[in-house]
Amino acid sequence: MVDTMALLPPFSRAARTPRTAPRRPAAPPAPATGPPVGGLGLPADDDVLLDVPDDRLGPALVAAAQGEHGPACALLATTRQQADWERRDRYVRRLAAFARSRDEWFLRWSAAAPRDVDLLTVAAQLAVDRAWPSPARAELLREVSPLITAAARGDDRDPVPWRIALDHARGAGAGHKYFEELWSAAVRRAPHHYGCHVAALRYLGAAWQGAHQACLDFADRAAQDAPAASLVQALPARAVLAYLTDDCGPELPRQRLDAAADLAVALSARFPEADPAPASLRNQVMFVLVRLARWQDAFTQARLIGPYATSFPWDRLSDDPLGLFLTTRDEVRVACLAPLSDHPRSERGPHAHSGEH
């Protein structure tokens, strides 16, 4: 097993030195016209939705909107019983987000079964989410620790409370030794859990701002150790996404960026077309491919995404993530319609740069 647990490599904290030029993608060629998207296998703009739940989560959210907690409780219990940790993590996040704005169902659940392990996990996520935007985040998060501990004790197999603990440690400014202990506990439970790996990657990015090579090294080691169908195969692309939207730190070789994107493209191809479950993965892959000026590959992802846009990563650049997704999709369509002489289809264009489209 590749030692992905060597999480904090021995390098010095990187200075946030700006790169010599702003990072922007190669512009798609004119003209910005062409056949309507519906004629190219893409849904019309009006048919594209943001953050659509899958067919398991959807009924639970509908019931929650009516004040009923039963379906959410049953859904999470099923994921735990089946050790379906990736779905469980996704559902916990979505249910906690819903409870932030509409909590009647959550309060009823809390009153009916205060020690329910699934309730405790959602409660821990909800408490972290509520504390995160506050200027007093670190102090508030310290008060959340008992909730996370209670969730972690509920089912010793479950890595999701440990992913919450990893996020909590980053927000609270925890030291490296403590974070390593949490990380070791998380990967003992689920060595290839994507959520825990993303949490570790984000901790590295926060601890050493601008050290994108170390983050990509960690992501590459994790992907090499993970099965081909594991979401961890998309971790290098997640590291590249962070690099492409950060104007600080040294440049990374183009071939490493392409290799990370290629892994994520291969993973995306394993899922059915126009499926809400892999939508978050595909939106991230499309974002990276656009930044790398790999227009044909980006168009393929747009087709696979179908009507399922997600807020992340588009909300990193815009308060209107759906609008930015649609604008970007149109740029991709235009680029793919351009003559070969205007825009090569080799997909290996010049080094991509971040910044507003």
Side-chain angles (χ1 to χ4, degrees), residues 12-103:
S12 300
R13 182 182 294 274
R16 284 192 64 80
T17 53
R19 299 190 180 104
T20 55
R23 304 172 73 52
R24 295 187 180 276
T33 58
V37 292
L40 298 173
L42 300 176
D45 287 2
D46 289 345
D47 294 332
V48 178
L49 304 172
L50 189 68
D51 297 329
V52 173
D54 64 25
D55 57 4
R56 299 186 188 184
L57 179 61
L61 291 175
V62 170
Q66 298 168 347
E68 299 298 328
H69 65 275
C73 178
L75 176 67
L76 291 182
T78 298
T79 61
R80 183 165 45 82
Q81 292 159 5
Q82 297 176 350
D84 191 351
W85 306 129
E86 301 295 358
R87 273 198 180 91
R88 179 175 177 80
D89 201 359
R90 187 165 68 248
Y91 295 162
V92 164
R93 290 175 184 269
R94 290 295 299 270
L95 288 167
F98 191 77
R100 287 188 70 184
S101 58
R102 303 184 67 173
D103 65 357

Side-chain angles (χ1 to χ4, degrees), residues 15-349:
R16 284 192 64 80
T17 53
R19 299 190 180 104
T20 55
R23 304 172 73 52
R24 295 187 180 276
T33 58
V37 292
L40 298 173
L42 300 176
D45 287 2
D46 289 345
D47 294 332
V48 178
L49 304 172
L50 189 68
D51 297 329
V52 173
D54 64 25
D55 57 4
R56 299 186 188 184
L57 179 61
L61 291 175
V62 170
Q66 298 168 347
E68 299 298 328
H69 65 275
C73 178
L75 176 67
L76 291 182
T78 298
T79 61
R80 183 165 45 82
Q81 292 159 5
Q82 297 176 350
D84 191 351
W85 306 129
E86 301 295 358
R87 273 198 180 91
R88 179 175 177 80
D89 201 359
R90 187 165 68 248
Y91 295 162
V92 164
R93 290 175 184 269
R94 290 295 299 270
L95 288 167
F98 191 77
R100 287 188 70 184
S101 58
R102 303 184 67 173
D103 65 357
E104 180 184 357
W105 64 278
F106 180 76
L107 296 175
R108 287 183 175 177
W109 190 5
S110 301
R115 296 184 180 180
D116 185 309
V117 60
D118 303 309
L119 168 77
L120 292 173
T121 305
V122 176
Q125 181 69 62
L126 177 59
V128 170
D129 292 347
R130 284 174 169 165
W132 204 268
S134 172
R137 175 198 300 169
E139 179 179 351
L140 292 174
L141 285 175
R142 281 192 285 272
E143 299 174 1
V144 173
S145 295
L147 277 174
I148 300 174
T149 300
R153 288 175 175 169
D155 187 330
D156 192 56
R157 304 170 305 150
D158 188 359
V160 177
W162 295 93
R163 191 272 304 157
I164 298 171
L166 292 170
D167 286 338
H168 173 272
R170 173 169 56 91
H176 303 159
K177 182 177 180 180
Y178 176 67
F179 192 90
E180 287 251 32
E181 292 172 355
L182 294 176
W183 169 249
S184 296
V187 296
R188 278 200 305 270
R189 287 159 174 80
H192 309 300
H193 182 249
Y194 179 66
C196 288
H197 280 77
V198 171
L201 185 66
R202 296 179 75 183
Y203 178 87
L204 277 176
W208 284 290
Q209 294 177 341
H212 295 290
Q213 180 168 328
C215 291
L216 186 53
D217 288 345
F218 166 72
D220 281 342
R221 289 196 302 270
Q224 288 166 12
D225 193 37
S230 169
L231 286 176
V232 176
Q233 295 296 329
L235 196 68
R238 181 70 179 251
V240 167
L241 190 156
Y243 166 71
L244 294 173
T245 53
D246 182 3
D247 290 332
C248 293
E251 298 285 336
L252 294 182
R254 171 64 195 240
Q255 60 267 29
R256 290 202 69 185
L257 309 184
D258 280 319
D262 290 342
L263 278 177
V265 166
L267 179 62
S268 172
R270 290 176 170 269
F271 295 96
E273 183 175 347
D275 184 344
S280 178
L281 161 68
R282 285 171 169 158
N283 277 255
Q284 293 174 55
V285 177
M286 177 179 160
F287 184 102
V288 168
L289 291 168
V290 167
R291 289 306 175 95
L292 297 177
R294 291 174 55 171
W295 303 107
Q296 192 65 47
D297 285 342
F299 180 83
T300 298
Q301 292 306 308
R303 181 177 54 77
L304 291 173
I305 288 167
Y308 300 120
T310 59
S311 293
F312 183 81
W314 314 103
D315 58 3
R316 292 190 63 144
L317 299 179
S318 174
D319 292 333
D320 178 15
L322 179 57
L324 181 56
F325 169 81
L326 293 173
T327 298
T328 304
R329 191 182 69 159
D330 198 52
E331 292 177 357
V332 169
R333 175 184 64 87
V334 169
C336 289
L337 288 172
L340 282 173
S341 58
D342 290 341
H343 197 85
R345 290 176 180 258
S346 67
E347 312 302 334
R348 308 289 180 175

